[in-house]
């Protein structure tokens, strides 16, 4: 831990930039958008189920657009690509706030999901993975604290604004806050990150070939399901968490207090995950980090009291806390860093798709009359299969031991 503190002190300016991007990505994350679901559904006379379907379509569309823009972090100035992303996210928030037709809501949601959840997280994790080698885990874990910080601060702040003013003002205010960040960005020196940039923009045919090589390689079939499963499960449970609370007859206030425990646990294990990745490598951590959330789902299914949900939230915090560092680090270990932006954009696309499918499929299960216990056990079985598949990573050589697929 002492080494971690010294590392943060010596690299604080670089690391704080990564933290800021993950924090600002919150404006496109499901947990924050969910605050507006009831208000938007009522305002535009659509059912919450129909809004969920619109949300899923927008998320999937954003994931495909991600493939066409994710590679920019490999060859465009970090400051330029960040500024453009923040501007687009800000205008997506403002457009949502002034929308008076569902079509504008649709466009806004695509922008929020693409630039918030997609690009800002992608930029942060990619540039730090490229810049740091020996201390990659520590760098990514510090950056991941932005996610936890957003979960702790922003829901409370925006819930207050929505209660005292209006959901539209909360959205417009979010956009203004993002635009104000551009002032800070203007005075931030990011030239050190540009040293890792590739020369020239890849052609469309070149990107297609790279993506084809990645998807057809067995490493993809080992790495992708685990990333997909975490996002699928976490998004689905969080999206319907208060539906489950209502069906169980639990106290919403007590559950909200327990959710704070999840955010704190995630923060702690974001730091711990970085230390463990640097000590043991991401490949070793990758084999085990699904275990806590899997056991949490089992507790949620088998313990009838609200404390089953508490156990799940704490164990989910452990896995989610470590996941950002492990998933980003292992891509650099397995594929190398030359085309890491393009590679991460492909994995991010599948991750974003999973966040759309999770609420959709679990919503169908709820509408089909399946019990909460059955839903949780189904998710548990899914994660166990992914955990078993992850064990195959033992046979995969790191990039220092094998040819780089992206350079063949």
């Amino acid at each position: 831990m002492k080494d971690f503190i010294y590392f943060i002190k010596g690299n604080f300016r670089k690391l704080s930039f990564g933290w800021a991007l993950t924090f600002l990505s919150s404006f496109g994350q499901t947990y924050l958008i969910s605050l507006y679901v009831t208000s938007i559904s009522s305002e535009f006379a659509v059912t919450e189920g129909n809004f969920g379907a619109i949300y899923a379509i927008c998320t999937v569309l954003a994931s495909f657009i991600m493939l066409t823009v994710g590679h920019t972090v490999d060859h465009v100035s970090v400051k330029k690509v960040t500024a453009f992303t923040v501007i687009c996210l800000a205008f997506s928030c403002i457009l949502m706030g002034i929308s008076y037709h569902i079509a504008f809501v649709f466009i806004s949601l695509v922008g929020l999901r693409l630039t918030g959840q997609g690009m800002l997280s992608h930029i942060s994790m990619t540039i730090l993975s490229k810049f740091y080698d020996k201390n990659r885990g520590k760098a990514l874990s510090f950056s991941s604290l932005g996610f936890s910080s957003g979960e702790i601060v922003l829901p409370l702040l925006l819930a207050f604004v929505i209660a005292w003013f209006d959901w539209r003002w909360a959205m417009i205010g979010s956009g203004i806050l993002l635009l104000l960040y551009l002032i800070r960005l203007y005075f931030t020196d990011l030239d050190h990150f540009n040293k890792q940039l590739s020369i020239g923009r890849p052609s469309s045919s070149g990107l297609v070939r790279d993506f084809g090589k990645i998807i057809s390689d067995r490493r993809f079939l080992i790495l992708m399901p685990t990333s997909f499963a975490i996002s699928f499960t976490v998004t689905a449970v969080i999206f319907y968490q208060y539906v489950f609370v209502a069906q169980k007859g639990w106290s919403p206030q007590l559950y909200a207090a327990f959710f704070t425990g999840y955010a704190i646990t995630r923060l702690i294990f974001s730091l711990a995950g970085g230390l463990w990745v640097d000590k043991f490598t991401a490949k070793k951590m990758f084999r085990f980090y699904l275990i806590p959330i899997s056991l949490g789902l089992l507790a949620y299914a088998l313990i009838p009291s609200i404390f089953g949900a508490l156990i799940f939230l704490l164990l989910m915090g452990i896995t989610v806390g470590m996941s950002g560092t492990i998933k980003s680090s292992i891509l650099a270990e397995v594929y190398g860093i030359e085309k890491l932006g393009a590679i991460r954009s492909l994995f991010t696309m599948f991750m974003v798709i999973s966040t759309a499918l999770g609420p959709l499929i679990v919503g169908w299960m709820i509408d089909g009359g399946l019990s909460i216990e059955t839903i949780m056990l189904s998710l548990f079985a899914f994660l166990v299969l992914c955990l078993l598949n992850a064990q195959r990573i033992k046979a995969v050589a790191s990039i220092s031991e094998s040819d780089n697929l992206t350079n063949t």
Side-chain angles (χ1 to χ4, degrees):
M1 182 59 73
K2 185 180 294 184
D3 291 341
F4 197 3
I5 295 174
Y6 286 142
F7 173 72
I8 293 174
K9 286 183 177 179
N11 296 269
F12 185 75
R13 288 188 178 182
K14 300 180 183 71
L15 299 177
S16 62
F17 173 70
W19 178 92
L21 296 192
T22 57
F23 179 83
L24 295 177
S25 76
S26 300
F27 293 103
Q29 302 282 3
T30 298
Y31 74 87
L32 214 55
I33 296 175
S34 65
L35 294 173
Y36 302 95
V37 171
T38 302
S39 298
I40 293 175
S41 298
S42 174
E43 185 93 14
F44 294 95
V46 296
T47 66
E48 293 183 0
N50 287 337
F51 183 80
I54 293 171
Y55 184 74
I57 293 170
C58 292
T59 299
V60 171
L61 182 58
S63 72
F64 284 106
I65 298 174
M66 181 77 189
L67 276 184
T68 67
V69 297
H71 63 85
T72 55
V73 74
D74 286 331
H75 56 85
V76 176
S77 162
V78 173
K79 182 173 288 189
K80 287 182 180 179
V81 72
T82 301
F84 184 76
T85 302
V86 171
I87 289 171
C88 290
L89 179 58
F91 281 114
S92 296
C93 290
I94 294 171
L95 179 61
M96 178 72 82
I98 63 176
S99 293
Y100 284 91
H101 191 279
I102 195 66
F104 294 107
V105 174
F106 186 94
I107 296 171
S108 301
L109 285 174
V110 173
L112 290 170
R113 301 299 278 160
L114 171 62
T115 56
Q117 184 195 33
M119 280 300 292
L120 283 184
S121 303
H122 175 63
I123 295 168
S124 175
M125 296 301 181
T126 301
I127 63 172
L128 291 179
S129 293
K130 286 188 172 190
F131 190 79
Y132 293 100
D133 182 12
K134 181 180 178 181
N135 293 300
R136 183 180 292 132
K138 297 183 185 70
L140 292 173
S141 66
F142 185 87
S143 175
S144 296
L145 294 179
F147 295 124
S148 304
S149 302
E151 289 171 342
I152 293 171
V153 175
L154 292 176
L156 294 174
L157 176 62
L158 291 178
F160 174 82
V161 176
I162 292 171
W164 281 88
F165 298 96
D166 183 66
W167 71 271
R168 292 183 180 276
W169 282 111
M171 270 292 180
I172 294 171
S174 297
I176 293 173
L177 178 64
L178 287 161
L179 292 176
L180 290 176
Y181 172 73
L182 293 176
I183 300 174
R184 172 73 178 116
L185 180 63
Y186 179 81
F187 292 102
T188 303
D189 180 14
L190 300 175
D191 288 341
H192 40 270
F193 290 127
N194 293 330
K195 295 177 182 179
Q196 302 289 341
L197 295 179
S198 304
I199 299 175
R201 175 189 175 94
S203 64
S204 297
S205 59
L207 279 175
V208 172
R209 283 195 301 270
D210 284 341
F211 291 147
K213 288 180 181 179
I214 296 167
I215 293 174
S216 62
D217 188 81
R218 71 189 184 96
R219 287 175 282 188
F220 178 78
L221 297 178
I222 296 173
L223 298 174
M224 188 278 290
T226 299
S227 176
F228 183 97
I230 292 177
S231 301
F232 180 96
T233 302
V234 172
T235 304
V237 174
I238 289 179
F239 195 84
Y240 291 109
Q241 57 189 340
Y242 286 102
V243 174
F244 297 149
V245 168
Q247 289 184 4
K248 286 283 194 177
W250 294 336
S251 165
Q253 293 77 19
L254 183 57
Y255 182 87
F258 287 167
F259 194 82
T260 302
Y262 155 73
I264 294 173
T265 304
R266 176 177 178 174
L267 187 150
I268 293 171
F269 280 88
S270 292
L271 294 174
L275 294 172
W276 292 336
V277 163
D278 287 340
K279 183 176 181 179
F280 302 110
T281 76
K283 281 178 60 180
K284 290 182 180 178
M285 295 296 299
F286 180 79
R287 295 171 52 200
F288 305 109
Y289 80 116
L290 277 184
I291 293 176
I293 190 173
S294 300
L295 295 176
L297 288 167
L298 208 55
Y300 205 134
L302 301 181
I303 300 176
S305 73
I306 193 172
F307 292 101
L310 173 61
I311 293 172
F312 167 74
L313 288 171
L314 295 178
L315 291 175
M316 180 174 72
I318 294 174
T319 293
V320 175
M322 295 188 294
S323 66
T325 301
I326 293 172
K327 289 189 296 183
S328 294
S329 295
I330 200 168
L331 292 181
E333 288 183 15
V334 170
Y335 290 109
I337 65 171
E338 182 181 349
K339 298 181 181 179
L340 188 58
I343 292 168
R344 282 200 84 260
S345 69
L346 182 63
F347 278 84
T348 301
M349 182 197 76
F350 282 97
M351 181 273 291
V352 174
I353 289 176
S354 73
T355 64
L357 293 180
L360 193 63
I361 293 176
V362 171
W364 287 342
M365 296 173 78
I366 294 172
D367 291 343
L370 295 180
S371 66
I372 297 173
E373 292 76 16
T374 300
I375 293 172
M376 295 302 167
L377 288 175
S378 298
L379 293 174
F380 168 76
F382 176 44
L383 288 184
V384 168
L385 291 176
C386 293
L387 180 62
L388 294 174
N389 178 66
Q391 304 311 306
R392 298 197 294 149
I393 196 68
K394 290 187 294 183
V396 175
S398 65
I399 197 62
S400 60
E401 304 167 50
S402 66
D403 293 332
N404 187 346
L405 174 139
T406 58
N407 291 331
T408 57

